[in-house]
Amino acid sequence: MKYLIIFLGSLLFALNISVTILPQKWVVKAIAKDKVNINVMVPPGNSPATYSPNFNQLKKLKNSQIYFSIGVPFDKKYINKIKEINPNIEVVDFAKYIKKDSNPHIWLSPALLMLQAKVVLDTLIKKDYKNKDFYLQNYKEYIQKLANLEKKGFSEIKQKVFLTFHPSFHYFAKDFLIKEIAIEKEGKTPSFSYLAKIINLAKKENIKTVIISPEFSTKYAKIVANKIHAKVVIISPLNEKPTTTINKLIEVLK
């Protein structure tokens, strides 16, 4: 009974935070631990490009003090609605310190995760200064884990080019100075002539790995993989723990 009261008390006095996608939850948790309650707007198995929030999710926003956006289509579509539901919510962009292009997948790069962790740290200290040392210690530990992961990637990745359907691993490739070739072009289904071009390029680059995401069509990626005799690996960019996803990518590209 005693421990139940302590647990309920910690939940009651924790900060209420909403995030757009699961990988953000893990970054926030890495810094805040049990001092936050986190509401994820796009649940597992759904695409942030097409998902619409339900009534209960919108209701939870009323209790959130902070909303961490990340620049996916869901944010662009609903951010004004979120502010309308809760005018007092502080909206903080995970890409605050990041120079990025139109590709939103910034959570799959150790270097960019470090910058996102700093955004979380600054925001938490601003809202909950009394726990500054706690957040700072967790931040330092998380940064060290990311630095170790980046070091591992540079030492172990041997394949310099890989193929994917949707360009989900764009910043991962940039971080490790390798090349991602995407079959999907500007969000459109590839034409047969474009597929033929991709196949020729893949043969020229001697690509041995095609990485596909379960959130997108696997049809065209498998066609190309068969033509170039490459292995097909399924990795979701939206897995909850981004460091695990990055680790999987490193292992695949050994």
Side-chain angles (χ1 to χ4, degrees):
M1 185 68 178
K2 175 185 175 183
Y3 295 108
L4 178 61
I5 292 171
I6 292 172
F7 173 71
L8 291 174
S10 67
L11 289 178
L12 185 64
F13 292 105
L15 283 171
N16 292 315
I17 293 174
S18 287
V19 299
T20 305
I21 55 173
L22 271 172
Q24 290 176 279
K25 177 182 177 180
W26 191 268
V27 180
V28 176
K29 274 290 187 183
I31 313 301
K33 306 293 185 187
D34 61 351
K35 296 194 182 297
V36 294
N37 303 316
I38 302 179
N39 168 45
V40 181
M41 294 304 294
V42 181
N46 293 275
S47 169
T50 57
Y51 183 74
S52 298
N54 59 42
F55 176 77
N56 286 334
Q57 287 179 298
L58 294 174
K59 190 177 178 182
K60 283 182 181 178
L61 286 170
K62 287 188 175 182
N63 298 320
S64 291
Q65 290 118 306
I66 303 165
Y67 188 97
F68 284 112
S69 64
I70 198 164
V72 292
F74 179 93
D75 291 327
K76 294 171 185 175
K77 187 175 181 181
Y78 289 105
I79 206 70
N80 287 335
K81 180 70 174 175
I82 288 165
K83 291 177 182 177
E84 186 182 309
I85 290 168
N86 184 351
N88 297 318
I89 199 167
E90 181 182 2
V91 177
V92 181
D93 186 4
F94 251 42
K96 186 176 178 181
Y97 303 138
I98 297 171
K99 289 182 180 178
K100 65 182 184 71
D101 49 38
S102 58
N103 192 310
H105 301 87
I106 58 172
W107 61 92
L108 293 176
S109 152
L112 297 189
L113 279 173
M114 291 180 191
L115 295 175
Q116 291 163 62
K118 183 63 166 61
V119 172
V120 173
L121 175 69
D122 291 348
T123 306
L124 290 174
I125 289 175
K126 180 182 170 185
K127 284 285 184 187
D128 184 25
Y129 189 80
K130 67 180 183 296
N131 286 308
K132 175 185 175 181
D133 292 341
F134 175 79
Y135 298 137
L136 190 57
Q137 181 59 38
N138 294 336
Y139 166 77
K140 289 176 181 177
E141 290 174 6
Y142 189 54
I143 291 295
Q144 187 57 56
K145 286 179 183 177
L146 292 170
N148 293 340
L149 184 59
E150 191 168 52
K151 184 179 178 181
K152 178 186 176 182
F154 277 115
S155 66
E156 295 186 6
I157 291 174
K158 303 302 178 188
Q159 297 185 48
K160 297 303 179 185
V161 188
F162 66 95
L163 194 68
T164 186
F165 177 73
H166 183 76
S168 303
F169 312 108
H170 173 73
Y171 295 105
F172 169 87
K174 285 186 75 172
D175 198 343
F176 292 108
L177 307 177
I178 60 177
K179 187 177 180 182
E180 175 198 60
I181 297 175
I183 296 170
E184 182 187 67
K185 188 178 182 182
E186 297 174 352
K188 299 174 183 176
T189 301
S191 64
F192 285 111
S193 60
Y194 184 69
L195 275 180
K197 183 180 177 182
I198 289 289
I199 290 166
N200 289 333
L201 180 60
K203 287 178 178 177
K204 183 182 176 182
E205 296 280 2
N206 196 29
I207 291 175
K208 300 298 183 186
T209 304
V210 179
I211 302 172
I212 56 179
S213 310
E215 293 83 8
F216 298 95
S217 170
T218 61
K219 176 183 174 182
Y220 298 102
K222 287 180 177 178
I223 289 172
V224 174
N226 287 334
K227 289 287 185 181
I228 64 174
H229 307 292
K231 66 177 178 180
V232 175
V233 182
I234 300 174
I235 299 178
S236 173
L238 292 170
N239 286 328
E240 180 175 358
K241 193 174 179 182
T243 48
T244 298
T245 307
I246 292 168
N247 233 325
K248 285 180 182 177
L249 289 164
I250 291 171
E251 292 297 320
V252 163
L253 296 172
K254 273 184 174 181

